Amino acid sequence: MLVLDDNNREYADEFKSLLNVFEGNYVYYDDVSSLFSIEISQFDTVILTTIGTESAKIVKYIRTKDDDVRIIVSEAAFTPEFLSLGGSVVANTYAIVPSLSVRNTETELIEECERLLTDHRFLSIEQMKRFLSRSIINTREGYLYFTPDGISQKIGLYKVIEGQFKEVFLE
C-alpha cells in the first residue's frame, strides 16, 4: 500500500512505479480520514511518502488497525519530529534514504570533465561553463553532478530502534 503525500504529488507520484512490480494500491493522504476506507490488514507493507509529522500520525493510525504490517517511510519522514511525535509507536519502522557520498567527488568530477572534453567538442570555454553550470548541484554535503547514467547515490536502509534511526546493514 502506498500512502502518497497529497501536498507534494510530483514527488509522491514517482513511487507509483512500485505498483508495476508489486501488487497493491495507493491513496493520497490529506489527513487521517484519507485512510478510513482502506482495509490495512489486506496489505503486508505500507510505504509512506509524507513528511515526518504526518508520517508519525499515519503510523499511529496504521498500528491501531494492524500492528504486524511492515511500514517503510521515505526520506521525507527521516526527521527528529517523526521520532519524537511517533514515540514508541514508530519502533521497527523502516526508512529508505538516499545518502550522499562525497568521497572522491573531486576525482570523479575531474574524470567526468575529461570524458566531457573527449566526447563533446565545445566551441568555447564559455560553452563548457554553461554546460557544467547546468550539470552540477551544490549541496550542503558537497557537489553532485549528472552523468549519462544520472546521479548515482548509495541508498541507506534504517530501522527505528530505541527511538533512533539505526542503519541496517545487509550482507
Side-chain angles (χ1 to χ4, degrees), residues 151-166:
I151 296 175
S152 178
Q153 292 179 287
K154 177 186 167 203
I155 302 295
L157 176 63
Y158 296 83
K159 187 174 185 179
V160 178
I161 300 171
E162 298 173 356
Q164 296 180 355
F165 289 109
K166 301 215 175 167

Side-chain angles (χ1 to χ4, degrees), residues 99-109 137-145 152-154:
S99 54
L100 297 175
S101 173
V102 294
R103 289 181 300 198
N104 299 321
T105 302
E106 294 83 2
T107 304
E108 292 171 4
L109 184 56
I137 301 170
N138 185 6
T139 68
R140 286 180 297 191
E141 290 82 9
Y143 290 96
L144 294 177
Y145 60 93
S152 178
Q153 292 179 287
K154 177 186 167 203

Side-chain angles (χ1 to χ4, degrees), residues 32-47:
V32 174
S33 66
S34 307
L35 305 174
F36 290 171
S37 64
I38 305 299
E39 183 59 46
I40 300 296
S41 62
Q42 72 178 354
F43 300 100
D44 63 354
T45 304
V46 178
I47 299 173

Side-chain angles (χ1 to χ4, degrees), residues 17 20 29 39 44 47 54-55 61 64-65 68 85 94 96 100 106 113 128 133 135 137 140 144 147 167:
S17 64
N20 296 333
Y29 176 85
E39 183 59 46
D44 63 354
I47 299 173
E54 297 305 314
S55 292
Y61 174 78
T64 64
K65 299 297 179 187
D68 294 327
L85 290 173
Y94 289 92
I96 298 178
L100 297 175
E106 294 83 2
C113 287
M128 181 180 177
S133 71
S135 303
I137 301 170
R140 286 180 297 191
L144 294 177
T147 69
E167 191 163 12

